[in-house]
Amino acid sequence: MTQAPARPKAARRQHDREIVALAVPAFGALVAEPLFVMADSAIVGHLGTSQLAGLGVASALLMTAVSVFVFLAYATTAAVARRVGSGDLQAAIRQGMDGIWLAILLGVAVIAVVLPTAPFLVELFGASDTAAPYATTYLRISALGIPAMLVVLAATGVLRGLQDTRTPLYVAVAGFVANAVLNAGLVYGVGLGIAGSAWGTVIAQFGMAAIYLVVVVRGAHRHGASLRPDAAGIRASAQAGVPLLVRTLSLRAILMIATAVAARLGDADIAAHQIILSLWSLLAFALDAIAIAGQAIIGRYLGAGDAEGARAACRRMVEWGIAAGVVLGLLVVISRSLFLPLFTSDSVVKDAALPALLVVALSQPICGVVFVLDGVLMGAGDGPYLAWAMVLTLAVFTPVALLVPALGGGLTAVWAAMTLMMTVRMLTLWLRARSGRWIVTGATR
């Protein structure tokens, strides 16, 4: 990015305080999400291997469906933050309600698709004959909670846009506790088996959605914002989300290709890949927390018409991203001998994972810049560029990854290709940030 004049220490400290205040609770909320699946797995795992296998397939389908609609959080955060920056809280909450109504409509549509096609989807994901009935049962019941899951995404975006990441943390923790208690009670206390786990998760998700709606509705009453669905507003929310949907689908395609290539290398390599991918995802949560802070802060500055404030915040967050990446990379290197035995005792898997793990560690500063700039451009509402950049990244990554088995490369080569992918993302995002074209001030982009 362009060279900036020296900034007063007071301004840097202000940015630091804002980033920490938003990023730390956001990280807690992000980590709480996968704990839902972990709690379900721990409880269902004692029912039997077939039940656990069925849960694994159904959970993968559900998380894929929900992750596709993560734009409900991202687009809503940016739009609400802009209106907060402009000082129009009524319009901010009205915009948030449009996102929530869109979430409800999409949730109902997903239910209509998943319920009749559940057996086909389970078969498509390769569930065994013994696991398929359990997967179908879990999927059909859990699908009923998808509207609540999507409302949680949109409402989380509303609160982030309002510069509040603490409430989502509290709701996520409460939801995790409720989910664990309900699952244990329904699975073993009532004796519903895997169906009880699904119902427990559905109830917990609707409970979380209800809490969010109470918070948002109170804010709407306080500021005189209408709660009624507005067709034009819902349509605008959907249009803002389409580019982010393209971005998300492209990223999911990259991860699926990487996993497919690793699977062709052999059992040890795919096992090691899954271990590394789980760590990579955990590291991504830490960096994504800074990105979430970036979405909220940048949107607010641009909404207030403060272009220089947005530039300064962007520079400071990039510094945070690099520093966080260095720290995370060092932690991976230091803890690698302790981390791998948690997942496997197979020396062949460990040998395959170790060099690839070092590649992941070295790439963390790059990942830090990518996540931060991704958040900055999302906060600026620069979705179309993000979509184009991710499609370009997919086009570069795909042939490189597919050449790995053909050229005799191993798992380390797969993760080198993943690092190349992140480098391409960094370059495209850095060029956009440097150009300044993302800086569009005002309550709307």
Side-chain angles (χ1 to χ4, degrees):
M1 287 180 291
T2 55
Q3 182 66 33
R7 287 165 284 150
K9 289 185 178 180
R12 289 168 62 94
R13 285 197 297 268
Q14 178 186 352
H15 289 312
D16 291 344
R17 284 194 298 268
E18 286 185 327
I19 293 168
V20 170
L22 291 170
V24 172
F27 175 68
L30 288 170
V31 170
E33 292 176 10
L35 291 180
F36 271 78
V37 177
M38 290 179 63
D40 287 1
S41 299
I43 293 170
V44 172
H46 292 286
L47 293 174
T49 302
S50 296
Q51 288 89 333
L52 184 58
L55 173 66
V57 171
S59 294
L61 285 163
L62 285 166
M63 296 312 297
T64 298
V66 173
S67 66
V68 165
F69 297 111
V70 73
F71 69 83
L72 289 166
Y74 294 157
T76 304
T77 297
V80 171
R82 275 185 175 270
R83 285 160 177 78
V84 169
S86 71
D88 191 347
L89 290 178
Q90 182 185 76
I93 296 175
R94 175 64 263 178
Q95 179 70 43
M97 284 305 306
D98 291 336
I100 289 173
W101 279 113
L102 176 61
I104 294 172
L105 292 175
L106 290 173
V108 171
V110 173
I111 288 178
V113 172
V114 171
L115 287 183
T117 61
F120 169 74
L121 293 173
V122 166
E123 182 181 356
L124 187 65
F125 262 59
S128 66
D129 291 340
T130 54
Y134 296 112
T136 302
T137 296
Y138 190 93
L139 180 60
R140 277 181 166 158
I141 296 172
S142 294
L144 300 175
I146 287 178
M149 296 180 193
L150 300 189
V151 167
V152 167
L153 283 177
T156 300
V158 175
L159 295 182
R160 288 174 182 170
L162 294 171
Q163 317 295 296
D164 175 11
T165 56
R166 289 183 179 274
T167 299
L169 171 60
Y170 300 148
V171 175
V173 171
F176 168 72
V177 173
N179 180 65
V181 172
L182 285 167
N183 279 10
L186 293 174
V187 171
Y188 297 111
V190 181
L192 294 180
I194 194 170
S197 177
W199 281 116
T201 300
V202 168
I203 295 169
Q205 291 287 354
F206 270 100
M208 292 170 66
I211 295 172
Y212 274 120
L213 289 176
V214 168
V215 173
V216 174
V217 168
R218 284 180 177 174
H221 288 323
R222 188 181 309 119
H223 298 287
S226 173
L227 298 174
R228 295 179 180 178
D230 176 66
I234 295 172
R235 189 162 52 249
S237 294
Q239 290 171 347
V242 169
L244 296 181
L245 175 61
V246 172
R247 168 200 168 275
T248 300
L249 290 174
S250 299
L251 180 57
R252 296 293 300 183
I254 287 170
L255 297 177
M256 290 175 65
I257 290 170
T259 300
V261 170
R264 293 180 62 185
L265 299 176
D267 290 347
D269 287 289
I270 186 59
H273 176 74
Q274 289 302 113
I275 293 171
I276 295 172
L277 188 60
S278 67
L279 175 63
W280 193 79
S281 299
L282 179 62
L283 298 173
F285 282 135
L287 297 174
D288 202 27
I290 304 174
I292 287 169
Q295 293 172 31
I297 293 170
I298 294 298
R300 193 189 75 231
Y301 273 115
L302 294 178
D306 188 354
E308 183 51 42
R311 288 191 186 93
C314 175
R315 286 191 292 267
R316 188 56 176 161
M317 279 183 282
V318 168
E319 293 168 4
W320 269 79
I322 294 172
V326 170
V327 171
L328 291 174
L330 289 173
L331 288 175
V332 170
V333 172
I334 293 170
S335 64
R336 66 189 186 281
S337 60
L338 300 175
F339 173 76
L340 290 175
L342 293 176
F343 291 87
T344 181
S345 58
D346 189 328
S347 60
V348 177
V349 175
K350 290 180 182 178
D351 290 342
L354 188 57
L357 203 58
L358 294 176
V359 173
V360 170
L362 291 172
S363 70
Q364 287 311 294
I366 296 173
C367 294
V369 175
V370 169
F371 276 83
V372 166
L373 290 180
D374 209 35
V376 166
L377 297 185
M378 282 185 190
D382 204 12
Y385 182 84
L386 290 172
W388 173 87
M390 189 58 78
V391 170
L392 173 64
T393 302
L394 174 61
V396 172
F397 171 79
T398 301
V400 174
L402 294 179
L403 280 173
V404 169
L407 297 178
L411 187 63
T412 303
V414 173
W415 279 95
M418 288 287 285
T419 301
L420 171 65
M421 177 271 293
M422 294 302 289
T423 303
V424 172
R425 288 187 69 190
M426 182 181 69
L427 290 174
T428 58
L429 296 174
W430 179 79
L431 288 172
R432 186 63 167 183
R434 187 172 184 270
S435 73
R437 293 177 183 175
W438 56 278
I439 300 175
V440 179
T441 58
T444 58
R445 183 178 173 87

